[in-house]
Amino acid sequence: MRVQTLTLAAAGAALLAPTTLPTPVPAAASLPAHGARHRIAATDLLSRLRDCAEISKSRYRTDAGTAATVPVCGTDQAVFWEADLDIDCDGQVTTHCNRTADPAFSAATAFQQSDGRHLNAETLPYVVVPGPSSRWDYRATGIKGGAVAAVIYKDRVQYAVVGDTGPTDIIGEASYATAKGLGMDPDPRTGGVPSGVTYIVFKDSAIKPIEDQDAARAEGERLAALFTEGG
């Protein structure tokens, strides 16, 4: 995990078009089954985030030396915040994530995959949550390693897992793979964007094994459907 001030490059975003949801069924059977696949639009998710009930005791910086302006907000189902996106390239050494490509590279992530190895930031979409502090302790709100997240930038939604922790006063970071999935420049030196990224982390969710991307995507779509329905 690292603290950095990046030269950020704004990237275009690909349109994520929702498909038609199944015909509604009676309320008693309306909850999607585990693993049911949906395609929820970014606008559907964002419409549920118009009001922020702040759960962090104070606000976060997006980079070292910037003002603390970002609150963590909460609902019954999720926590969320809007910030920048800095590139986390930590974990396994890969072609694009290593000490040469990223001077702040760390070979460790807060959470590990099922074989005990640290996560692969180049291939696994994951988000970084601030380390526990008196400002906010993610563990007290039903969030843990492997929790399911939906990351939104413009019209694109990328499902991910909570894979790493960062400084206790900085927020707004995700893996190389998350940035790439959102259509951004994922380069750890120059990539990411300076603002406009929304992070939603669903409470009491977990993907096991944490590296199962198909499970994260399916469960993310299921939880997003419930979230947009207000259920």
Side-chain angles (χ1 to χ4, degrees), residues 54-103:
E54 293 192 28
I55 61 172
S56 53
K57 293 182 179 179
S58 56
R59 297 187 173 191
Y60 288 90
R61 307 173 189 278
T62 55
D63 291 293
T66 62
T69 60
V70 180
V72 175
C73 311
T75 74
D76 289 342
Q77 297 166 283
V79 301
F80 65 93
W81 58 91
E82 183 178 337
D84 63 345
L85 193 152
D86 291 338
I87 308 299
D88 189 313
C89 231
D90 297 340
Q92 296 178 35
V93 173
T94 65
T95 301
H96 296 101
C97 290
N98 53 66
R99 295 190 189 283
T100 300
D102 179 7

Side-chain angles (χ1 to χ4, degrees), residues 123-208:
T123 61
L124 180 67
Y126 70 74
V127 301
V128 180
V129 294
S133 70
S134 58
R135 181 181 276 105
W136 176 56
D137 186 340
Y138 65 89
R139 301 169 301 184
T141 50
I143 306 301
K144 57 188 175 182
V148 180
V151 188
I152 304 165
Y153 180 62
K154 296 185 177 179
D155 294 319
R156 184 169 288 193
V157 180
Q158 174 65 58
Y159 294 106
V161 293
V162 171
D164 204 359
T165 60
T168 58
D169 64 338
I170 293 178
I171 205 165
E173 190 172 5
S175 68
Y176 181 106
T178 304
K180 187 173 182 180
L182 289 169
M184 300 176 189
D185 174 8
D187 187 280
R189 291 178 182 267
T190 62
V193 292
S195 63
V197 180
T198 300
Y199 302 77
I200 304 171
V201 184
F202 297 104
K203 296 179 178 179
D204 301 314
S205 63
I207 298 301
K208 295 181 180 179

Side-chain angles (χ1 to χ4, degrees), residues 38-53:
H38 299 268
R39 190 61 68 89
I40 306 301
T43 51
D44 295 331
L45 285 164
L46 293 174
S47 69
R48 293 277 287 125
L49 308 178
R50 290 174 182 153
D51 299 316
C52 172

